[in-house]
Amino acid sequence: MNVIPCSIKTLKGLYDISGVEVGQHLYWQIGALQIHAQVLITSWVVIAILLGSVIIAVRNPQTIPSGGQNFFEYVLEFIRDLSKAQIGEEYGPWVPFIGTMFLFIFVSNWSGALLPWKIIQLPHGELAAPTNDINTTVALALPTSVAYFYAGLTKKGLGYFKKYIQPTPILLPINILEDFTKPLSLSFRLFGNILADELVVVVLVSLVPSLVPIPVMFLGLFTSGIQALIFATLAAAYIGESMEGHH
Amino acid sequence: MAAASTFMASTSKPLLSNPHHPPRSLLTTPKTIPAPFRSLIKSISISPRTLVLGAASLVASPLPALASEIEKAALFDFNLTLPAIAIEFLLLMIALDKIYFTPLGKFMDSRDAAIRAQLGEVKDTSEEVKQLEEQAAAVMKAARAEITAALNKMKKETTAELEVKLVEGRKKVERELAEALENLEKQKEDTIKALDSQIAALSNEIVKKVLPQL
């Protein structure tokens, strides 16, 4: 036990660093069930930001767009291009789904990086990007699964299930497994990236409080955008995949 | 980054000490959760408690307070948040579709259609423009020809008039010249006649003076 003197110090350091409140939540009780209040609150803010900016910018569209309308037209073009590239010519009905997915994740991620959530002290847990809670990412990934099933079934009827034995029936287990891995990978990718990004920033800041974390913060912004893009693109790709014809 | 700002602001404060909120364990807080849910949460949530306890047992007694203070992270506890966020997402999708995607998309499409239609019209009218240009060129040509004709005519007329006047003037001048010459001739003859008579008288006188009276 001659290691104790130094290890106390080390542990104290570790303890300070781990001051990041990982996986701690403010609970609200609704009936017999619990809810992560901090996720709900931040998601409301994100939704308010989205709806507010959209209403202000697109309330009265002008033939020659300017400012906010220009921006949102650009965003819509971007989402349409993305959907069209992944889904094909019948992308129209899926634009709201893909677009909302992209915008919600993007604004959520950036809100975690840009909004000073931590100024608001909660009795327990802390405010952060909604996407750094696994509930949120699963809540986004499951509708994606439902969406591509719906797309395939409406397009091809029960013939959609033929894809499970294509190209050979031997691949049936793998094809079925795919339906589980898709939402799993979608949700865990987003969750892990955002959580890790915020953790890295917080830990770096607690170690070196000035200048050094700044590039990491920019990297975090970049990652956040990329993750939103990946999620939306993959969702569109899954929908497109289940709609395209098998030969 | 938000985290960063607050951390920068309050680096003097130990980060985990949480003066405002005493730490509590996830598994102890939801007392109202029915037993099956509790077991579910227990099975899902990854608990670093064992890990922390292991580390704490390594360093033995001095840090029991620390170990108990480090709250177990409930990273993977699924609960009502999931359906709540899913419903929020669907509502957001409907709202954004109603106020953003559909109206702005329609607006952009109709504008595109209008621009395309206008471009098509412009292409059609280019034929008309060509015809009009040709007409204009023809009119200009005709006008130019007319003007040249009129100019030529006028030139001819004026030259003719000028010639007439010139001839008249020349005749007049010639006549006047002839008259003047005639006058001159007459005067010369008169003078010569007058001189003739004077010569006779003068010669007579000279004779008288030179020759004394004989």
Side-chain angles (χ1 to χ4, degrees):
Chain A
M1 286 291 152
N2 48 0
V3 281
I4 290 174
C6 79
S7 63
I8 288 176
K9 219 173 180 188
T10 331
L11 260 182
K12 183 73 176 65
L14 278 173
Y15 166 74
D16 281 350
I17 290 167
S18 66
V20 191
E21 296 184 357
V22 182
Q24 297 176 32
H25 309 288
L26 176 68
Y27 289 99
W28 281 350
Q29 196 78 30
I30 295 171
L33 298 168
Q34 284 187 314
I35 207 160
H36 291 165
Q38 87 278 12
V39 176
L40 222 58
I41 293 169
T42 47
S43 74
W44 290 340
V45 174
V46 167
I47 289 173
I49 290 172
L50 270 175
L51 288 182
S53 55
V54 164
I55 286 172
I56 290 170
V58 195
R59 178 187 40 193
N60 182 19
Q62 304 292 318
T63 311
I64 299 168
S66 64
Q69 192 196 339
N70 221 341
F71 175 73
F72 277 103
E73 281 190 12
Y74 169 73
V75 171
L76 185 53
E77 290 270 348
F78 173 75
I79 291 165
R80 279 179 163 185
D81 284 350
L82 192 155
S83 318
K84 198 173 179 181
Q86 301 299 333
I87 299 177
E89 280 310 312
E90 296 171 47
Y91 72 98
W94 294 104
V95 166
F97 182 76
I98 307 294
T100 312
M101 196 65 94
F102 175 75
L103 288 177
F104 182 73
I105 296 174
F106 186 80
V107 177
S108 292
N109 292 351
W110 272 39
S111 81
L114 295 177
L115 294 184
W117 291 121
K118 308 281 193 301
I119 287 175
I120 303 163
Q121 291 274 340
L122 293 181
H124 195 238
E126 58 188 7
L127 294 174
T131 34
N132 91 21
D133 191 292
I134 189 78
N135 285 284
T136 313
T137 58
V138 173
L140 295 173
L142 287 182
T144 307
S145 291
V146 175
Y148 77 72
F149 266 101
Y150 171 78
L153 286 173
T154 48
K155 182 88 189 293
K156 288 185 280 197
L158 288 176
Y160 170 68
F161 292 107
K162 270 190 222 149
K163 76 156 192 179
Y164 285 102
I165 50 165
Q166 276 170 346
T168 76
I170 302 166
L171 290 180
L172 178 68
I174 291 174
N175 281 335
I176 292 175
L177 202 64
E178 229 179 24
D179 282 330
F180 292 96
T181 55
K182 275 174 183 172
L184 204 71
S185 66
L186 271 183
S187 54
F188 275 67
R189 180 185 306 114
L190 181 58
F191 167 65
N193 270 292
I194 301 308
L195 185 71
D197 172 49
E198 296 201 345
L199 279 184
V200 165
V201 170
V202 167
V203 168
L204 260 186
V205 166
S206 66
L207 287 175
V208 196
S210 66
L211 280 179
V212 178
I214 291 174
V216 182
M217 291 174 184
F218 279 107
L219 183 70
L221 279 184
F222 178 69
T223 323
S224 301
I226 290 290
Q227 285 309 315
L229 183 65
I230 287 176
F231 201 110
T233 310
L234 280 178
Y238 293 157
I239 291 168
E241 193 186 335
S242 67
M243 280 170 77
E244 76 181 358
H246 299 282
H247 306 293
Chain B
M1 267 202 208
S5 55
T6 37
F7 271 112
M8 281 186 188
S10 63
T11 35
S12 58
K13 193 181 85 177
L15 296 169
L16 196 77
S17 54
N18 289 341
H20 303 287
H21 31 85
R24 46 183 178 160
S25 167
L26 166 73
L27 290 180
T28 55
T29 35
K31 289 192 179 74
T32 45
I33 286 187
F37 277 106
R38 213 178 300 171
S39 64
L40 181 72
I41 290 170
K42 191 184 268 178
S43 64
I44 297 172
S45 54
I46 286 175
S47 77
R49 169 180 273 183
T50 49
L51 204 119
V52 171
L53 284 180
S57 68
L58 264 183
V59 290
S61 45
L63 296 160
L66 193 68
S68 70
E69 209 173 331
I70 295 179
E71 184 178 315
K72 62 197 290 18
L75 276 181
F76 293 95
D77 64 333
F78 291 94
N79 53 22
L80 196 62
T81 320
L82 199 163
I85 295 285
I87 289 166
E88 273 186 11
F89 171 77
L90 292 178
L91 291 179
L92 177 69
M93 184 173 85
I94 293 166
L96 278 185
D97 186 33
K98 284 273 181 297
I99 62 173
Y100 175 32
F101 294 118
T102 306
L104 194 67
K106 260 186 198 158
F107 180 78
M108 284 163 68
D109 287 344
S110 62
R111 185 178 55 198
D112 273 5
I115 289 174
R116 216 155 275 153
Q118 276 177 1
L119 276 178
E121 266 176 35
V122 166
K123 225 173 254 173
D124 288 348
T125 48
S126 71
E127 284 281 301
E128 242 174 74
V129 167
K130 212 179 243 176
Q131 279 183 0
L132 282 176
E133 266 175 3
E134 274 168 16
Q135 274 183 13
V139 167
M140 287 287 283
K141 213 175 166 186
R144 214 164 273 157
E146 234 171 70
I147 288 171
T148 4
L151 213 67
N152 281 345
K153 199 177 151 199
M154 228 159 82
K155 227 181 244 171
K156 257 180 217 167
E157 274 174 8
T158 29
T159 25
E161 237 170 70
L162 276 176
E163 251 162 37
V164 169
K165 270 185 190 168
L166 201 68
V167 169
E168 268 178 15
R170 201 174 281 159
K171 270 183 191 162
K172 199 178 162 191
V173 170
E174 270 171 11
R175 203 169 54 229
E176 274 170 8
L177 192 71
E179 264 174 31
L181 279 175
E182 224 172 274
N183 278 350
L184 221 76
E185 200 77 8
K186 211 174 156 188
Q187 277 178 2
K188 200 169 99 182
E189 272 172 22
D190 284 352
T191 327
I192 289 173
K193 266 184 202 162
L195 276 180
D196 274 350
S197 59
Q198 275 181 351
I199 288 170
L202 273 177
S203 52
N204 276 344
E205 228 156 277
I206 292 168
V207 171
K208 263 185 205 167
K209 277 191 184 169
V210 175
L211 296 176
Q213 269 112 6
L214 300 169

